[in-house]
Amino acid sequence: KSSTGNISLLGYTLVFMSLLVHKLDSAHFSVIGPDQPLVATVGDEVLLACRLSPRMSAQNMEVRWYRGQFSSVVHLYREGKDQYVEQMSEYRQRTEFQAGDIADGSVALRIRNIRLSDAGWYTCFFRSEVSYQEAAMELRVAVSGTSPLISIEAYQDGGVRLVCRSGGWYPEPQSLWKGLQGQPLPSLPAKCIQDENSLFQTESVLIVTEKSNQNLTCAVRNSVLNQEGVSRVYLADAFFPKTSYVTVIRLTLNLLVLAFFIPCAIYYLWKQSKDTGRWRRGMLNGKQQRTNDFKWRKRKSQHSPNVTLDPTTAHPELCVSPDQKSVKCANAAEEQPNNPDLVDSYRCVLGAQKFDSGRHYWEVKLEKKTVWHLGVCADSDDREQYKSIEPENGYWAVRLWNGEYKALSTPRTTITLENKPERVGVFLDYEGEEVSFFSLPNGSHIYTFYRCVFSRRSLRPFFSPGIHGSKEDVPLIICPIPD
């Protein structure tokens, strides 16, 4: 009995050992993926397939595709169904697990709507209860761009400059110029730039001379898709620049013209620089310049110490002195003018003298007046009441009113003076079409009316000692002109 028991125990042991070895053998496997990189174009789909070796069922295994890190899940199959919790957001709704042959250990992952960002390495991972293995595979994504466009840009280095452009490629394409027999032609290095969609734009330049090959081909190739875009062009002899006697003569004449004008330009620039320096020196000594300008005008004018007032032109509320050299307000009414720019608002009187040619100068003493008008106006038998004082109506004048100096131009010009003038000098240049005003005694410039339209009319001095309602009785005085 004891020997029979030993035999039975030995048999059970052998059976157990054989079963254990069989289980251990079945636990060892490897994963086999594609031996070549997979290629897909943008917008298409791709199938990432892998299988177990030896063949065995993977229904109860975990099958995972990931990129880079184990946690970067592209797709996960576990416990007999798809798991989407750990899936990366960029692959949501784009993956499909192919489990038709899972009983034989063959599975695949379909990725739809391929993007440029999908390019790279993927890992196919299997895990059973006792073991795990994985295999890596590469996915290449490519885009075939537009057909090349050849353009003639310019003449360069004695030949014609051709540019071949194409866009919308991925990855960076290769550009090549070829001759009639398909032989490569030397060209300038191609330029490639990547746009906002990560696609490449390429530009290749070829200089073609008359003696070189004129049947040309530009090819742009995508090495991943093994595709290329091709354009051809033929350059006739008329495209190449010709050197003729006419061209030589024109070039010679151009050089002669340049030889004449360059010295003139140099002289002009030198003169401008000299004048600019003189102007700057004048700015540094501006006050002296203005004084000299005043003295020049005064010296060149026909002095008019006998300028007098014409009482017949005086406003009824003005009082003209017996010697007709001064005027002041004779009546102080209560109302104020609605518009201080109207003739009737300012009590005005004209000079007795009429000027229709030459240069003339006179001075008016202001004393301590706070309101006044001075200038010239066109002589007219029909002096319209309430007429606005401005050049368009025949008045060229400056004023002090409400503490502010202004030239009665169109529009009005505010004047800033360093010192309050004691006298105002008025200079009329009839032929020069200018009316200028100077502050005395320093002779500084106040304002000048340029390009005045006198229209061959006689001009008369113009005075106003104050506005309607003025309380001051200080007169305007036409004073003798000192040397």
Side-chain angles (χ1 to χ4, degrees), residues 11 139 189 210 217 279 376 384 405 415 427:
L139 173 61
E210 188 175 8
T217 300
W279 177 81
V376 298
E384 182 183 349
Y405 296 92
I415 301 171
F427 175 81

Side-chain angles (χ1 to χ4, degrees), residues 366-371 420 472 474:
L366 304 177
E367 293 289 348
K368 297 181 180 180
K369 291 192 64 62
T370 59
V371 180
K420 186 176 181 180
E472 63 180 31
V474 180

Side-chain angles (χ1 to χ4, degrees), residues 275-456:
D275 291 343
T276 301
R278 186 184 299 114
W279 177 81
R280 288 177 177 174
R281 290 191 297 272
M283 289 296 292
L284 293 175
N285 194 15
K287 184 176 180 180
Q288 183 63 38
Q289 288 285 351
R290 290 192 298 268
T291 301
N292 291 339
D293 179 60
F294 162 70
K295 291 180 178 180
W296 179 88
R297 290 171 184 262
K298 182 178 175 182
R299 185 172 65 252
K300 291 294 183 179
S301 64
Q302 300 171 12
H303 292 179
S304 303
N306 294 323
V307 168
T308 56
L309 301 174
D310 183 358
T312 62
T313 63
H315 190 277
E317 296 179 2
L318 292 183
C319 180
V320 177
S321 64
D323 62 357
Q324 299 179 358
K325 287 291 188 177
S326 67
V327 59
K328 67 178 181 178
C329 294
N331 185 16
E334 294 299 330
E335 67 272 14
Q336 293 294 326
N338 294 326
N339 188 344
D341 289 340
L342 297 180
V343 174
D344 193 64
S345 297
Y346 288 85
R347 294 351 194 187
C348 304
V349 61
L350 303 185
Q353 287 71 29
K354 299 181 181 182
F355 307 118
D356 54 14
S357 63
R359 300 187 183 98
H360 306 274
Y361 175 79
W362 60 94
E363 293 181 2
V364 181
K365 188 176 181 181
L366 304 177
E367 293 289 348
K368 297 181 180 180
K369 291 192 64 62
T370 59
V371 180
W372 50 262
H373 265 68
L374 291 174
V376 298
C377 69
D379 185 36
S380 174
D381 294 333
D382 181 20
R383 300 189 66 246
E384 182 183 349
Q385 193 178 26
Y386 301 113
K387 200 170 189 178
S388 179
I389 302 178
E390 56 191 5
E392 289 76 8
N393 291 327
Y395 290 86
W396 296 269
V398 296
R399 78 176 182 201
L400 169 62
W401 183 74
N402 200 22
E404 188 175 41
Y405 296 92
K406 281 195 175 183
L408 300 185
S409 55
T410 307
R412 302 308 195 218
T413 302
T414 300
I415 301 171
T416 301
L417 299 179
E418 294 180 2
N419 299 305
K420 186 176 181 180
E422 298 177 7
R423 303 190 310 277
V424 170
V426 184
F427 175 81
L428 167 64
D429 186 347
Y430 196 96
E431 285 75 17
E433 299 179 338
E434 290 184 10
V435 179
S436 299
F437 300 87
F438 296 90
S439 174
L440 302 171
N442 61 2
S444 61
H445 179 252
I446 296 178
Y447 188 81
T448 295
F449 289 90
Y450 295 100
R451 295 183 295 276
C452 302
V453 182
F454 297 145
S455 302
R456 297 184 179 180

Side-chain angles (χ1 to χ4, degrees), residues 152-162 207-212 214 235-248:
I152 300 175
E153 298 271 319
Y155 294 109
Q156 181 177 337
D157 301 333
V160 177
R161 175 187 173 94
L162 297 182
I207 307 300
V208 184
T209 61
E210 188 175 8
K211 296 180 179 180
S212 63
Q214 296 174 232
L235 291 183
D237 292 340
F239 280 100
F240 296 94
K242 305 293 184 181
T243 303
S244 63
Y245 291 109
V246 175
T247 303
V248 174

Side-chain angles (χ1 to χ4, degrees), residues 187-229:
S187 61
L188 299 179
K191 298 179 181 179
C192 271
I193 59 173
Q194 207 165 7
D195 61 20
E196 63 276 6
N197 298 318
S198 299
L199 300 178
F200 285 93
Q201 316 290 325
T202 181
E203 178 179 299
S204 179
V205 177
L206 178 69
I207 307 300
V208 184
T209 61
E210 188 175 8
K211 296 180 179 180
S212 63
N213 199 319
Q214 296 174 232
N215 290 279
L216 305 166
T217 300
C218 176
V220 181
R221 182 178 181 79
N222 188 318
S223 59
V224 174
L225 297 177
N226 198 24
Q227 297 176 355
E228 68 178 16

